């Protein structure tokens, strides 16, 4: 963190690479990836594809890009994408579904960011109705950021996969924090590779890499995605130097995500005891969302927290705190003491 006195919980995107990761990056062999000649990127893509039991993968600068490439690869203009009303692709990607793919969103509401197969079935638009935008894609987000890191389980997704198969509609996973979900449930990447036609995973959140996301799918899908990445300006040259950070993260930083969940629970317990808290739900992963009391406006609480050395971020009418690998034991203890005193 830039200010040693400030403990930053705004997001797990603010992480700094560890010395071991920096060393791996500094030693990475590189080549021109647009020509398919970067050995480190090729190793990262193959490693991730094998992890999920999928055929291929594509390294991209960001999770927004991997999501947007997937949507464009699965759809054609004038179609519709079903997702939750809180989905990242709907709320936080700059209108990219419309801008990049010429599609619209058919949102599903719920209180926890998840939905059921029946919800999807009820919103599928027919190809034969000239008034309707036909459904071209179903998208799931795991964990659900806007719901405070809500976790989907495999058996909740399987019925949705079957609905997609019955109607010949592909299923995409925005798995920006998927490894946080897998840590919480004990499920495996290979479980998810069987459920989705495409998967986006972020390397620069809880896994701690400085840059990058991966899009996974079939060989045919990734060939199409690679062309879309080029059109979007995402073709990179000697990018193995950053891919090495992602490869190190996948090999070394997955198991430690349990620590982030345990730290989030400690913060939740401190928030629950604080006079500033109106309501807070026990976190399922590494995100704590809480509502401030009526006499303590959100922005005033954020300012007060920062005065004591804690950075957090607003999310709607709540405050979000996200734990990550740069938080030491001392940071968590100090944070909990401060929160209880507010």
């Amino acid at each position: 963190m830039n200010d040693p006195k400030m403990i930053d919980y705004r997001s797990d995107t603010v992480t700094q690479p560890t010395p071991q990761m920096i060393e791996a990056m500094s030693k990475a062999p590189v080549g021109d990836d647009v020509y398919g000649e970067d050995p480190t990127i090729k190793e990262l893509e193959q490693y991730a594809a094998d992890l999920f039991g999928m055929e291929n993968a594509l390294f991209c600068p960001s999770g927004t890009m991997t999501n947007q490439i997937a949507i464009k690869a699965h759809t054609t203009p004038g179609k519709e994408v079903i997702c939750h009303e809180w989905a990242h692709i709907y709320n936080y990607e700059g209108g990219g579904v419309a801008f990049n793919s010429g599609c619209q969103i058919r949102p599903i509401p719920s209180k926890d960011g998840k939905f059921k197969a029946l919800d999807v079935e009820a919103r599928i638009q027919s190809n034969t109705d000239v008034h309707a935008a036909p459904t071209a894609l179903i998208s799931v987000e795991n964990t659900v950021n806007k719901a405070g890191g809500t976790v989907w389980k495999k058996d909740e997704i399987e019925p949705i996969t079957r609905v997609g198969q019955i109607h010949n509609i592909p299923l995409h996973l925005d798995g920006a924090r998927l490894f946080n979900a897998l840590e919480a449930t004990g499920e495996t990447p290979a479980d998810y590779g069987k459920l989705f036609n495409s998967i986006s995973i972020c390397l620069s959140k809880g896994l701690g890499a400085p840059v990058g996301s991966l899009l996974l799918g079939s060989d045919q899908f990734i060939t199409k995605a690679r062309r879309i990445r080029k059109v979007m300006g995402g073709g990179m040259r000697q990018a193995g130097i950053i891919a090495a950070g992602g490869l190190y993260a996948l090999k070394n930083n997955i198991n430690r995500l349990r620590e982030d969940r345990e730290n989030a629970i400690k913060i939740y317990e401190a928030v629950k005891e604080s006079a500033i808290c109106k309501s807070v739900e026990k976190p399922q992963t590494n995100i704590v969302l809480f509502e401030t009391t009526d006499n303590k406006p959100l922005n005033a609480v954020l300012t007060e927290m920062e005065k004591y050395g804690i950075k957090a971020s607003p999310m709607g009418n709540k405050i979000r705190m996200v734990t990550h690998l740069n938080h030491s034991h001392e940071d968590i203890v100090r944070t909990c003491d401060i929160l209880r005193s507010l």
Side-chain angles (χ1 to χ4, degrees):
M1 284 162 274
N2 294 330
D3 184 347
K5 299 177 182 177
M6 195 66 66
I7 309 174
D8 198 341
Y9 293 96
R10 289 174 299 167
S11 178
D12 44 11
T13 61
V14 303
T15 57
Q16 299 288 311
T18 61
Q20 296 87 346
M21 183 181 286
I22 292 171
E23 183 180 4
M25 294 169 69
S26 69
K27 293 179 178 178
V30 298
D32 191 320
D33 184 52
V34 175
Y35 287 120
E37 295 174 355
D38 191 297
T40 306
I41 289 179
K42 291 166 78 171
E43 183 183 357
L44 170 63
E45 291 171 343
Q46 190 62 56
Y47 184 88
D50 291 345
L51 196 63
F52 282 84
M54 302 183 85
E55 289 181 350
N56 213 332
L58 182 67
F59 182 54
C60 294
S62 72
T64 293
M65 180 175 279
T66 47
N67 281 335
Q68 291 301 313
I69 289 172
I71 293 165
K72 190 163 182 64
H74 284 304
T75 67
T76 54
K79 298 292 179 69
E80 201 162 78
V81 178
I82 293 175
C83 65
H84 194 271
E85 65 178 352
W86 293 344
H88 194 279
I89 64 167
Y90 186 34
N91 290 274
Y92 298 117
E93 297 188 7
V97 175
F99 189 91
N100 296 308
S101 300
C103 292
Q104 65 186 27
I105 294 288
R106 174 76 54 174
I108 299 175
S110 77
K111 293 182 179 180
D112 62 358
K114 299 191 289 184
F115 48 84
K116 300 183 184 300
L118 286 174
D119 300 321
V120 175
E121 189 85 56
R123 286 165 177 81
I124 292 175
Q125 300 269 70
S126 169
N127 282 304
T128 59
D129 184 352
V130 296
H131 304 93
T135 305
L137 182 64
I138 304 161
S139 183
V140 168
E141 182 182 339
N142 194 15
T143 65
V144 187
N145 170 39
K146 202 169 169 65
T150 302
V151 172
W152 287 79
K153 294 183 179 177
K154 181 169 66 77
D155 60 6
E156 294 175 304
I157 299 171
E158 286 171 337
I160 298 169
T161 300
R162 287 195 290 272
V163 167
Q165 291 169 342
I166 290 167
H167 293 274
N168 198 29
I169 299 170
L171 193 63
H172 172 67
L173 173 65
D174 175 2
R177 294 184 175 91
L178 176 61
F179 287 101
N180 296 88
L182 297 179
E183 183 281 318
T185 63
E187 295 168 353
T188 69
D191 291 332
Y192 277 73
K194 298 171 186 174
L195 296 174
F196 293 90
N197 300 90
S198 59
I199 295 176
S200 165
I201 57 170
C202 190
L203 304 168
S204 62
K205 291 188 171 72
L207 295 181
V211 181
S213 288
L214 287 159
L215 180 62
L216 301 100
S218 67
D219 286 332
Q220 183 179 11
F221 175 81
I222 294 299
T223 296
K224 187 175 184 180
R226 192 175 296 276
R227 177 171 179 80
I228 296 169
R229 183 188 71 171
K230 180 64 176 174
V231 172
M232 288 184 173
M236 296 179 285
R237 302 298 179 177
Q238 289 76 25
I241 197 166
I242 55 173
L247 188 60
Y248 180 91
L250 286 177
K251 290 182 176 181
N252 297 278
N253 288 352
I254 293 174
N255 289 338
R256 62 147 305 280
L257 292 172
R258 178 180 178 179
E259 184 181 335
D260 294 345
R261 178 167 58 86
E262 290 172 346
N263 285 338
I265 291 170
K266 291 174 184 175
I267 290 172
Y268 149 79
E269 289 169 347
V271 166
K272 190 170 60 169
E273 297 172 17
S274 172
I276 62 170
C277 176
K278 180 179 181 180
S279 66
V280 59
E281 291 191 20
K282 187 175 182 179
Q284 296 181 26
T285 49
N286 67 324
I287 300 175
V288 181
L289 274 184
F290 68 93
E291 190 176 0
T292 59
T293 54
D294 294 337
N295 64 333
K296 283 279 188 179
L298 182 148
N299 287 333
V301 172
L302 285 170
T303 300
E304 188 174 3
M305 288 170 64
E306 190 158 348
K307 184 176 72 174
Y308 287 101
I310 299 174
K311 279 188 177 181
S313 60
M315 178 165 277
N317 65 339
K318 296 181 179 179
I319 289 176
R320 185 182 79 157
M321 299 180 70
V322 187
T323 55
H324 52 74
L325 59 79
N326 288 149
H327 294 140
S328 67
H329 172 73
E330 291 74 21
D331 289 337
I332 300 299
V333 170
R334 179 182 159 206
T335 298
C336 291
D337 288 344
I338 291 170
L339 289 170
R340 286 189 174 97
S341 71
L342 293 178

